[in-house]
Amino acid sequence: MPISTIGQNGLNAPLSLTSPALGTPSSLVLTNATGLPQAGLGTNVAGNGPTFSAYQSSSQSISAGTQTKVNLQTELFDTNSNFASSRFTPTVAGYYQIGGGVYFNTVGSTTFCSFWKNSSILTRGTQGALNESTGTTLVYLNGSTDYMELYAYNASAGTIDADYTTTFMWGCMVRSA
């Protein structure tokens, strides 16, 4: 039975439906998004943005009272090859959650880790129980020149522990720019 409507003159008139213009292709079934570039995702979707996790695999000595870059020699994973030489330099602009921690084999009166952006301190982790510190930060990185590094400080000279559970840094994209 055809659909009708009553027009202004009170008479029945047929109702006309028009299909929306979908463009080409007119339909899409997405079954596998492997290899989908970040630019192909919708606005503000992190999707498959860069992520990494690295740790210190050999002990590192540092001087007393000096912030020292932590050598992170071993990667657990690095999804976009953006981690090298103890530095994370993402190639996708966006907001990144960065975390990490340091553990000293020697006890100092003050111990902390800090996150440095482009060779300047950005945030500092907690002062831990005598010889450890962890922290996180949320930071915008431009996807071309910005980079992040982990630094350690101990008021006494000491050695940073070499273990993936105690001296590490990780990061992941949480939102594109």
Side-chain angles (χ1 to χ4, degrees):
M1 169 181 241
I3 299 175
S4 301
T5 183
I6 298 177
Q8 290 181 350
N9 62 4
L11 300 174
N12 281 340
L15 183 62
S16 175
L17 298 175
T18 305
S19 297
L22 296 177
T24 303
S26 61
S27 66
L28 174 65
V29 176
L30 183 61
T31 57
N32 183 349
T34 301
L36 182 65
Q38 185 71 31
L41 297 174
T43 303
N44 298 323
V45 176
N48 61 351
T51 185
F52 78 96
S53 181
Y55 66 95
Q56 186 172 64
S57 56
S58 61
S59 297
Q60 176 183 353
S61 298
I62 69 164
S63 301
T66 303
Q67 291 210 49
T68 304
K69 181 179 171 180
V70 177
N71 295 324
L72 302 166
Q73 302 95 341
T74 304
E75 296 177 2
L76 289 173
F77 55 86
D78 183 6
T79 63
N80 202 39
S81 300
N82 294 136
F83 188 85
S85 302
S86 303
R87 176 183 288 183
F88 177 58
T89 310
T91 53
V92 178
Y95 297 88
Y96 289 82
Q97 183 77 37
I98 306 292
V102 294
Y103 181 87
F104 286 89
N105 291 330
T106 53
V107 176
S109 57
T110 303
T111 299
F112 62 84
C113 67
S114 55
F115 301 99
W116 289 47
K117 177 181 177 182
N118 303 335
S119 299
S120 297
I121 190 168
L122 178 67
T123 59
R124 191 174 101 173
T126 60
Q127 182 175 335
L130 300 177
N131 58 344
E132 63 185 48
S133 175
T134 60
T136 63
T137 189
L138 183 64
V139 60
Y140 172 78
L141 300 172
N142 65 15
S144 57
T145 58
D146 287 341
Y147 59 91
M148 295 296 298
E149 297 172 312
L150 178 68
Y151 276 68
Y153 175 90
N154 193 329
S156 304
T159 302
I160 302 172
D161 193 30
D163 188 315
Y164 72 94
T165 64
T166 57
T167 303
F168 57 91
M169 185 168 118
W170 55 264
C172 63
M173 179 183 218
V174 295
R175 179 178 170 174
S176 64

